[in-house]
């Protein structure tokens, strides 16, 4: 319930997730951004409750060839409180015929009497139509509002939208004489086909007809729709009859009355798509199965969706078993719509419209839309503020369904780690959601889904399922509040004795979803007493750890413990709850030579820290091949992910964290490796200005080379996608570390471009090869890339130039390359570079020490010329100061920036506060470096010496 199109949010989430080894495409399998609950425009236009709708009678006439529609609607109302006005939602794009507007009283002695209208207003800047009367409407009486309207059909997907697609004409059978022609004579141009559809979520019904466009108003609809004879209409309900219009070209389809439903679940599609023919066995089964499943697609695409009906049935059956009650639908239409541009399907009641690619594989997307038929259409959140609970349940149950059907093959094992790691990352910032406020709603949905997963473990799957079944009982065609879910789970947990009577699920859940934070649990064992002190506090990665009131933040945390002497990861019983208390004690733990693991399999969304001895016991156990696999994949990944992130946050010694990576020499599971790439990137960027960085790169090479060479040696034509992704990641990081075979391969590919007769005509080099060449290659190769940017033809795709520009600045490790680029763009003011280009370069230079230190020296050495050049370009000046001064992490860097600040005090203008903030941040990062770099260097020295590292395969 409640989804909005993506733009900047998608980009930021993609950037946030890429370091974690997940592309946006992979993440999108799991998530959709849900911003409507945070949209201020929705709450601003909530209607008064004096009048309540009881039904709609709606006639629509969309005109395909003119991109317009007309219609009429009769809305029956019950007057709950005397009022002299009727307020309806009506978008400003919708033209309402105010002269034909009527209001009549119905259902009593005065039934049929027109109510005199004083005036009709359209409220400025709000999508409201207000009808004023001379006298107040009578409380308890029923009325009917009758309106006519016209509107436009747009190509976007808000309200009614239109689209076109092409497909090959069907070939007619030919006689011998016709078939004797040439092959070219049989070729036909593709036919163009048109369609019209609706997308009313979250509040776009008002674009099509005046209505009560709020989810809490659930009433029946009687609908008729005009269509061309060449097309058919799919609607929420089945067709009742078809009526002739008299023009010979159009007919009117009249549909069965809908069940009570919200306006956002209303939907129809006018098209000439064809029904995918079910197999004979499917047809026999359809006689017994309700609802009847029909799949629709263009003729050329039908083979791609031939199995969709079976997949829908299987997912539907699993969900019906889960809910314990079937969907009260007579039919369910599933459509593969060509050219459908929305990021998520249109999940109307009884009609789900997908973009074609979303129906190609897997069960998750299908299951999610089926869940929305139960929660969203049949049972609806009362208002958009409760939509996050609805969406979280849908996300959890969809993943659960997909995993139960085929093991969740489409996730490649990454559920729930994809959303879990992004939550860890976002909520451990000093200022979560600081980049985009609207991300808050999405991360709230994600965290709520993880809390549901935690409850499924801690209450037990059977109790959790019965609790959700209890929740939907007696709410058919009604609405709910988020609290209703938690209350139903509480009652079931008490009944099943899975929760003590003094505790409610509301208490547990509210401690998690009301804070934009997550906790960190620390376990310190007393080995002699076989006890452990467990404490909780706010988890913060970013420094300084100065979040206000962090000492007051406490959570309800389930403590699930696995012990070495009883390795049983199937037992997820909570041995103790931290009931919003700072500290508890665990008793009867194993002996001093045996480890414990708290929160295995990421049962709860929180990292766990241990004392050094327990960490080392774990590290030793994981290095033994016979014992390593006794710990499941998710738990191995968690231990590694927690250790490195806690070290990065300053809560764990880096020596201990590095020890936890020693078992990766034997590890080949991609889920365990994914956090390693993230942490190599984070730590590498942080220390790349120090002398330790060279040793760190040698460690990375030693860690990754066996993995990569094994993956290359075992490469097969048909292999799992995760192997290809893992090989690509390993190669990428080895290239960055100077792995010679990778550099040489990249240079061979790049040389083909340099040797081409017309290098500006196009780029024949794969993107993966460009950065290694610009980083490790010659001055000539880099200069060639620069000239391609300068001479880039107008006719080529601009994104290719942007990528070249980013790699020219962001990849080189040699200052002379960067200095050359800065001189051309800033001092020479070359006309080939726009202000946006310069801003992009500054941003790319902030990604590594060679970039920002060269930029700093360029600024220092050319201060006066740069000040003059950027005199009236404050944004560029601010960006430059930020990128040139904000990324240093050592005392040497602090001294450099401080000297520049003193030397030019009063000359920074709009960037004065930027450099002051930089100095504050560098001081904090310097403390981190002083504390951690000696520890990291000591560990690396020991590791490299004990492994006899050879460097013949590497540059740098």
């Amino acid at each position: 319930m409640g989804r909005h199109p993506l733009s900047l949010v998608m980009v930021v989430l993609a950037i946030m997730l890429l370091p974690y080894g997940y592309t946006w495409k992979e993440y999108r399998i799991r998530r959709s951004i849900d911003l409507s609950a945070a949209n201020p425009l929705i709450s601003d236009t909530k209607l008064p409750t004096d009048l309540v709708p009881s039904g709609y009678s709606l006639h629509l006439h969309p005109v395909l060839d003119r991109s317009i529609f007309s219609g009429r609607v009769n809305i029956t109302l019950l007057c709950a409180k005397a009022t002299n006005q009727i307020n309806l939602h009506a978008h400003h794009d919708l033209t309402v015929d105010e002269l034909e507007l009527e209001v009549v009283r119905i259902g009593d002695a005065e039934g049929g009497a027109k109510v005199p209208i004083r005036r009709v207003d359209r409220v400025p800047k709000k999508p409201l139509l207000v009808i004023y009367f001379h006298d107040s409407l009578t409380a308890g009486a029923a009325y009917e509002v009758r309106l006519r309207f016209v509107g436009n059909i747009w190509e976007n997907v808000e309200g009614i939208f239109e689209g076109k697609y092409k497909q090959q004409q069907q070939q007619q059978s030919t006689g011998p004489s016709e078939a004797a022609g040439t092959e070219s004579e049989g070729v036909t141009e593709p036919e163009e086909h048109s369609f019209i559809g609706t997308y009313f979520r979250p509040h776009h019904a008002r674009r099509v007809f005046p209505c009560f466009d709020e989810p809490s108003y659930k009433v029946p609809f009687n609908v008729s729709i005009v269509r061309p004879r060449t097309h058919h209409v799919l609607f929420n309900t089945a067709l009742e009859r078809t009526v002739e219009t008299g023009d010979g070209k159009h007919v009117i389809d009249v549909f069965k009355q809908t069940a009570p439903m919200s306006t956002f679940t209303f939907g129809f599609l006018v098209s000439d798509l064809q029904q995918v023919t079910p197999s004979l066995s499917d047809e026999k089964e359809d006689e017994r199965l309700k609802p009847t499943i029909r799949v629709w697609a263009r003729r050329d695409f039908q083979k791609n969706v031939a199995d969709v009906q079976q997949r829908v049935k299987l997912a539907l059956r699993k969900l019906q078993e889960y809910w314990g009650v079937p969907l009260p639908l007579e039919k369910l239409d599933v459509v593969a719509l060509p050219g459908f541009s929305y990021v998520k399907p249109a999940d109307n009641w009884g009609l789900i419209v997908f973009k074609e690619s979303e129906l190609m594989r897997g069960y998750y997307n299908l299951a999610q839309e089926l869940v929305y038929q139960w929660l969203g259409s049949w049972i609806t959140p009362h208002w958009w503020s409760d939509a996050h609970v609805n969406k979280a349940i849908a996300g959890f149950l969809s993943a659960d369904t997909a995993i139960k059907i085929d093991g969740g093959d489409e996730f490649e094992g990454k559920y729930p780690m994809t959303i879990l790691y992004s939550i860890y990352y976002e909520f451990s910032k000093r200022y979560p959601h600081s980049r985009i406020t609207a991300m808050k709603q999405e991360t709230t949905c994600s965290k709520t889904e993880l809390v549901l997963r935690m409850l499924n473990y801690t209450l037990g799957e059977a109790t959790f399922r019965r609790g959700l079944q209890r929740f939907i009982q007696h709410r058919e065609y009604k609405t709910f509040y988020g609290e209703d879910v938690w209350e139903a789970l509480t009652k079931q947990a008490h009944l099943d004795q899975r929760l003590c009577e003094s505790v409610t699920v509301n208490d547990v859940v509210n401690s998690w979803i009301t804070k934009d934070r997550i906790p960190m649990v620390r376990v310190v064992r007393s080995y002699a007493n076989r006890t452990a002190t467990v404490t909780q506090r706010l988890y913060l990665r970013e420094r300084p750890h100065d979040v206000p009131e962090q000492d007051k933040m406490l959570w309800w945390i389930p403590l699930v413990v696995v012990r070495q002497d009883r390795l049983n990861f199937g037992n997820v019983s909570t041995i103790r709850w931290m009931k919003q208390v700072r500290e508890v004690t665990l008793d009867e733990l194993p002996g001093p030579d045996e480890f414990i693991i708290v929160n295995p399999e990421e049962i709860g969304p929180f990292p766990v820290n241990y004392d050094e001895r327990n960490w080392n016991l774990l590290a030793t156990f994981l290095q033994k091949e016979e014992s390593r696999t006794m710990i499941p994949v998710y738990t191995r990944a968690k231990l590694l992910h927690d250790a490195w992130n806690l070290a990065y946050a300053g809560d764990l010694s880096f020596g201990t964290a590095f020890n936890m990576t020693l078992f990766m020499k034997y590890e080949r599971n991609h889920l365990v490796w994914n956090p390693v790439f993230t942490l190599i990137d984070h730590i590498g960027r942080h220390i790349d200005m120090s002398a330790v960085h060279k040793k760190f790169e040698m460690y990375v090479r030693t860690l990754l080379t066996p993995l990569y060479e094994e993956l290359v040696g075992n490469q097969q034509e048909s292999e799992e996608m995760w192997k290809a992704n893992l090989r690509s990641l390993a190669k990428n990081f080895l290239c960055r570390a100077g792995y010679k075979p990778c550099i040489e391969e990249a240079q061979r590919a790049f040389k083909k471009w340099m040797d081409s007769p017309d290098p500006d005509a196009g780029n024949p080099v794969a993107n993966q090869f460009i950065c290694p060449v610009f980083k490790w290659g010659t001055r000539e190769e880099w200069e060639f890339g620069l000239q391609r940017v300068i001479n880039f033809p107008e006719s080529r795709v601009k994104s290719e130039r942007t990528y070249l520009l980013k790699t020219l600045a962001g990849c080189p490790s040699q200052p002379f390359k960067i200095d050359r680029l800065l001189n051309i763009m800033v001092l020479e003011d070359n006309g080939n570079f726009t202000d946006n280009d310069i801003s992009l370069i500054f941003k790319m230079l902030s990604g590594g020490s060679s970039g920002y230190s060269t930029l700093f020296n360029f600024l220092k050495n050319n201060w006066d010329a740069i000040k003059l050049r950027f005199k009236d370009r404050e944004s560029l000046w601010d960006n430059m100061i930020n990128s040139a001064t904000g990324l240093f992490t050592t005392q040497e860097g602090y001294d450099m920036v401080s000297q520049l600040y003193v030397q030019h005090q009063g000359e920074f203008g709009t960037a004065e506060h930027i450099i002051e903030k930089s100095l504050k941040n560098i001081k904090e990062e310097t403390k981190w470096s002083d504390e951690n770099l000696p520890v990291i260097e000591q560990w690396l020295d020991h590791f490299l010496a004990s492994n006899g590292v050879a460097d013949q395969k590497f540059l740098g």
Side-chain angles (χ1 to χ4, degrees):
M1 183 175 177
R3 307 183 190 113
H4 266 206
L6 301 180
S7 52
L8 187 57
V9 180
M10 179 190 290
V11 174
V12 171
L13 262 181
I15 293 169
M16 185 174 80
L17 290 169
L18 283 174
Y20 283 85
Y22 298 107
T23 65
W24 169 251
K25 182 179 180 181
E26 291 170 327
Y27 186 72
R28 200 172 56 113
I29 291 174
R30 290 291 311 114
R31 309 303 305 155
S32 65
I33 305 302
D34 190 336
L35 306 183
S36 58
N39 190 333
L41 295 178
I42 295 176
S43 57
D44 282 350
T45 56
K46 203 167 184 179
L47 299 176
T49 57
D50 302 336
L51 292 151
V52 180
S54 58
Y56 293 87
S57 179
L58 176 63
H59 176 80
L60 289 170
H61 183 183
V63 184
L64 274 74
D65 55 356
R66 294 176 56 199
S67 298
I68 61 170
F69 66 90
S70 62
R72 60 182 182 271
V73 64
N74 297 345
I75 311 173
T76 53
L77 308 169
L78 178 66
C79 184
K81 180 182 177 183
T83 177
N84 69 341
Q85 63 187 62
I86 296 176
N87 289 264
L88 297 171
H89 287 117
H91 196 275
H92 289 291
D93 289 340
L94 187 68
T95 301
V96 178
D97 188 341
E98 298 177 10
L99 296 177
E100 292 289 323
L101 193 158
E102 292 182 347
V103 178
V104 298
R105 183 163 174 161
I106 59 175
D108 58 16
E110 298 181 39
K114 289 187 180 181
V115 181
I117 296 172
R118 182 155 57 98
R119 73 175 194 276
V120 180
D121 281 354
R122 301 300 292 266
V123 179
K125 299 183 179 179
K126 288 190 176 183
L128 293 175
L129 174 77
V130 185
I131 307 166
Y132 293 94
F133 304 99
H134 294 284
D135 301 311
S136 293
L137 304 181
T138 304
Y143 297 87
E144 184 172 87
V145 187
R146 300 168 181 171
L147 308 103
R148 291 180 178 270
F149 49 85
V150 294
N152 295 310
I153 299 174
W154 309 98
E155 290 185 5
N156 63 16
V157 287
E158 295 180 347
I160 296 184
F161 64 91
E162 64 181 353
K164 292 180 172 56
Y165 69 93
K166 291 183 178 181
Q167 70 178 4
Q168 292 296 326
Q169 299 181 40
Q170 281 186 294
Q171 297 296 313
Q172 301 294 326
S173 59
T174 59
S177 59
E178 293 174 291
T182 63
E183 184 177 346
S184 60
E185 288 174 338
V187 176
T188 57
E189 285 293 319
E191 290 181 315
E192 187 170 76
H193 300 252
S194 59
F195 60 81
I196 287 177
T198 57
Y199 203 105
F200 284 4
R201 180 184 297 273
H203 60 323
H204 296 308
R206 65 192 66 176
R207 286 181 171 271
V208 179
F209 58 95
C211 56
F212 289 74
D213 200 10
E214 296 179 17
S216 60
Y217 295 115
K218 302 187 67 172
V219 299
F221 285 74
N222 290 293
V223 175
S224 59
I225 300 173
V226 180
R227 64 169 170 88
R229 288 184 178 275
T230 54
H231 289 57
H232 57 76
V233 182
L234 300 177
F235 179 61
N236 299 96
T237 56
L239 179 67
E240 185 173 84
R241 66 184 187 276
T242 297
V243 180
E244 295 292 330
T245 61
D247 68 358
K249 296 181 179 179
H250 297 82
V251 294
I252 303 171
D253 283 343
V254 181
F255 295 91
K256 293 182 179 180
Q257 185 184 64
T258 74
M261 66 181 194
S262 306
T263 49
F264 79 90
T265 65
F266 179 105
F268 67 85
L269 177 70
V270 182
S271 76
D272 61 356
L273 298 176
Q274 298 177 4
Q275 184 178 353
V276 179
T277 305
S279 66
L280 186 61
S281 60
D282 290 341
E283 289 178 337
K284 290 180 179 178
E285 188 177 349
D286 282 346
E287 295 174 3
R288 303 188 302 272
L289 180 70
K290 293 295 182 183
T292 300
I293 310 297
R294 299 185 301 183
V295 180
W296 303 80
R298 58 185 166 92
R299 187 182 63 250
D300 294 350
F301 195 70
Q302 295 220 350
K303 63 180 182 298
N304 300 100
V305 290
D307 69 335
V308 167
Q309 188 177 58
Q310 275 302 317
R311 283 193 280 136
V312 171
K313 288 178 182 177
L314 187 50
L316 188 62
R317 194 175 298 120
K318 289 288 183 185
L319 287 166
Q320 286 182 344
E321 290 171 4
Y322 193 94
W323 289 114
V325 58
L327 272 177
L329 280 175
E330 182 179 339
K331 63 86 187 173
L332 176 64
D333 288 308
V334 177
V335 182
L337 188 63
F340 186 47
S341 60
Y342 198 70
V343 73
K344 287 297 293 179
D347 47 2
N348 317 294
W349 181 234
L351 170 64
I352 310 175
V353 180
F354 290 86
K355 62 174 63 177
E356 289 181 331
S357 60
E358 295 295 329
L359 280 174
M360 294 288 283
R361 62 185 286 262
Y363 289 89
Y364 177 79
N365 289 325
L366 290 173
Q368 186 173 53
E369 301 315 312
L370 292 175
V371 174
Y372 281 129
Q373 296 293 302
W374 268 281
L375 292 182
S377 295
W378 191 27
I379 302 162
T380 308
H382 188 81
W383 184 246
W384 300 101
S385 56
D386 294 303
H388 73 281
V389 178
N390 189 76
K391 184 170 182 289
I393 294 173
F396 171 75
L397 288 185
S398 304
D400 181 71
T401 302
I403 290 168
K404 284 177 179 174
I405 292 174
D406 67 357
D409 284 348
E410 62 200 287
F411 306 144
E412 296 178 344
K414 293 179 181 178
Y415 178 82
M417 297 308 181
T418 315
I419 54 175
L420 184 76
Y421 291 165
S422 66
I423 289 296
Y424 278 7
Y425 184 80
E426 187 63 33
F427 287 148
S428 63
K429 295 177 180 177
R430 292 175 70 199
Y431 307 107
H433 317 297
S434 58
R435 286 189 236 174
I436 300 179
T437 305
M439 279 177 61
K440 181 174 181 178
Q441 177 65 12
E442 170 59 17
T443 50
T444 299
C445 290
S446 297
K447 185 165 62 170
T448 304
E449 181 177 337
L450 293 172
V451 171
L452 288 167
R453 179 176 176 269
M454 179 180 78
L455 291 172
N456 188 59
Y457 274 114
T458 54
L459 299 181
E461 186 175 356
T463 294
F464 186 80
R465 183 179 67 253
R466 286 193 291 265
L468 288 184
Q469 290 173 351
R470 174 187 290 269
F471 156 66
I472 68 170
Q473 286 172 3
H474 312 304
R475 284 196 171 84
E476 298 88 345
Y477 306 113
K478 297 177 183 175
T479 62
F480 71 90
Y481 296 92
E483 289 294 306
D484 296 334
V485 179
W486 316 131
E487 288 175 9
L489 288 170
T490 298
K491 288 177 181 178
Q492 193 63 47
H494 288 166
L495 188 66
D496 294 348
Q497 298 183 339
R498 299 290 301 189
L499 208 59
C500 63
E501 291 292 333
S502 61
V503 179
T504 69
V505 173
N506 309 58
D507 297 331
V508 176
V509 170
N510 287 335
S511 75
W512 288 90
I513 64 177
T514 58
K515 292 189 278 285
D516 293 334
R517 297 291 181 185
I518 57 170
M520 183 266 282
V521 167
R522 178 166 174 77
V523 181
V524 179
R525 295 174 62 185
S526 174
Y527 291 88
N529 299 328
R530 297 198 173 191
T531 62
T533 301
V534 183
T535 55
Q536 64 161 298
R537 67 171 174 79
L538 174 67
Y539 173 52
L540 286 169
R541 277 178 95 254
E542 288 188 354
R543 294 164 298 280
H545 298 344
D546 57 355
V547 172
E549 298 190 333
Q550 58 180 297
D551 293 335
K552 297 179 182 179
M553 295 185 189
L554 293 168
W555 289 258
W556 280 74
I557 300 176
L559 298 179
V560 178
V561 180
V562 172
R563 39 196 289 166
Q564 185 175 346
D565 59 340
R566 302 174 200 165
L567 273 185
N568 181 6
F569 288 87
N571 181 7
V572 294
S573 299
T574 303
I575 66 169
R576 182 125 187 215
W577 278 89
M578 299 188 78
K579 302 177 181 179
Q580 283 191 298
V581 295
R582 181 70 58 195
E583 180 180 306
V584 298
T585 301
L586 300 180
D587 300 311
E588 300 179 5
L589 296 179
D593 295 326
E594 294 172 314
F595 63 75
I596 63 171
I597 298 174
V598 176
N599 195 33
E601 299 295 272
E602 298 284 14
I603 286 171
F606 57 91
V608 180
N609 200 355
Y610 304 96
D611 56 83
E612 185 177 355
R613 182 170 183 168
N614 197 75
W615 276 118
N616 287 334
L617 286 170
L618 286 163
T620 302
F621 190 82
L622 286 167
Q623 289 176 63
K624 299 173 184 175
E625 181 64 27
E626 66 276 9
S627 58
R628 178 176 55 83
T629 53
M630 296 169 67
I631 297 179
V633 168
Y634 280 1
T635 302
R636 299 204 301 271
K638 174 183 176 54
L639 292 170
L640 192 60
H641 188 267
D642 285 0
W644 276 59
N645 276 287
L646 290 165
Y648 189 83
D651 293 317
L652 181 66
S653 164
F654 262 104
T656 304
F658 272 102
N659 283 340
M660 289 299 296
T661 69
L662 293 173
F663 79 92
M664 298 306 295
K665 179 179 180 181
Y666 315 102
E667 183 64 64
R668 293 298 177 263
N669 190 287
H670 66 294
L671 299 175
V672 187
W673 271 101
N674 275 329
V676 175
F677 294 113
T678 305
L679 299 162
I680 287 173
D681 183 67
H682 284 186
I683 302 300
R685 288 176 187 274
H686 196 95
I687 69 173
D688 76 341
M689 199 174 178
S690 70
V692 183
H693 190 252
K694 291 287 184 186
K695 297 176 182 178
F696 181 72
E697 283 195 329
M698 292 167 67
Y699 157 77
V700 171
R701 300 164 190 167
T702 307
L703 196 66
L704 293 183
T705 302
L707 170 70
Y708 176 66
E709 292 181 348
E710 181 179 317
L711 288 169
V712 170
N714 297 332
Q715 189 170 351
Q716 299 173 347
E717 284 188 20
S718 57
E719 63 179 5
E720 298 96 326
M721 183 64 73
W722 69 261
K723 284 187 180 178
N725 291 338
L726 183 58
R727 182 168 50 250
S728 177
L729 277 169
K731 182 179 182 179
N732 178 37
F733 276 80
L734 279 171
C735 285
R736 284 165 51 176
Y739 182 59
K740 277 186 180 179
C742 171
I743 310 304
E744 291 166 354
E745 180 187 10
Q747 287 181 305
R748 284 194 298 271
F750 198 82
K751 190 173 189 304
K752 293 178 182 176
W753 191 10
M754 295 180 70
D755 292 343
S756 62
D758 186 7
D760 293 318
N763 174 14
V765 183
N767 284 347
Q768 61 175 315
F769 295 128
I770 293 177
C771 192
V773 170
F774 288 167
K775 179 171 184 176
W776 299 105
T778 63
R779 182 192 296 262
E780 179 188 9
E781 289 166 330
W782 185 88
E783 186 70 36
F784 175 85
L786 176 62
Q787 293 306 316
R788 301 291 69 74
V789 169
I790 291 174
N791 300 316
F792 196 86
E794 284 292 325
S795 58
R796 283 179 57 195
V797 180
K798 298 298 183 289
S799 59
E800 294 182 22
R801 178 183 181 276
T802 301
Y803 186 81
L804 267 180
L805 198 57
K806 289 165 71 173
T807 49
L808 278 167
C811 295
S813 55
Q814 304 96 331
F816 70 82
K817 295 177 182 176
I818 300 168
D819 215 43
R820 162 96 164 115
L821 185 60
L822 290 171
N823 270 285
I824 290 175
M825 284 201 315
V826 178
L827 296 185
E828 297 177 17
D829 206 12
N830 188 296
N832 291 287
F833 298 96
T834 66
D835 283 4
N836 285 337
D837 290 338
I838 298 172
S839 289
L840 177 64
I841 295 307
F842 290 161
K843 181 179 179 181
M844 295 306 300
L845 292 177
S846 66
S849 63
S850 57
Y852 60 75
S853 59
T854 304
L855 181 61
F856 174 86
N857 290 326
F858 178 78
L859 172 67
K860 183 183 70 172
N861 297 333
N862 301 282
W863 179 273
D864 292 335
I866 295 170
K867 279 282 289 181
L868 182 63
R869 187 72 70 189
F870 291 162
K871 181 182 178 183
D872 299 317
R873 296 146 89 181
E874 290 180 350
S875 177
L876 284 179
W877 173 249
D878 291 351
N879 288 342
M880 186 176 194
I881 297 299
N882 187 52
S883 296
T885 66
L887 282 303
F888 291 94
T889 59
T890 63
Q891 184 63 45
E892 179 186 3
Y894 180 85
D895 293 341
M896 290 164 58
V897 176
S898 180
Q899 184 179 1
L900 182 76
Y901 178 65
V902 171
Q903 185 177 351
H904 295 286
Q905 198 159 14
E907 300 176 36
F908 285 89
T910 55
E912 187 82 26
H913 72 287
I914 295 175
I915 191 168
E916 289 173 355
K917 182 182 177 182
S918 294
L919 285 167
K920 181 181 178 181
N921 289 340
I922 298 170
K923 186 172 286 188
E924 195 65 38
E925 296 305 316
T926 299
K927 290 180 187 176
W928 186 95
S929 298
D930 291 344
E931 291 171 5
N932 292 292
L933 288 183
V935 177
I936 294 173
E937 185 167 29
Q938 183 180 2
W939 190 94
L940 290 172
D941 285 341
H942 176 74
F943 172 84
L944 296 172
S946 60
N947 282 271
V949 173
D951 243 2
Q952 65 272 16
K953 283 190 176 180
F954 298 91
L955 301 174

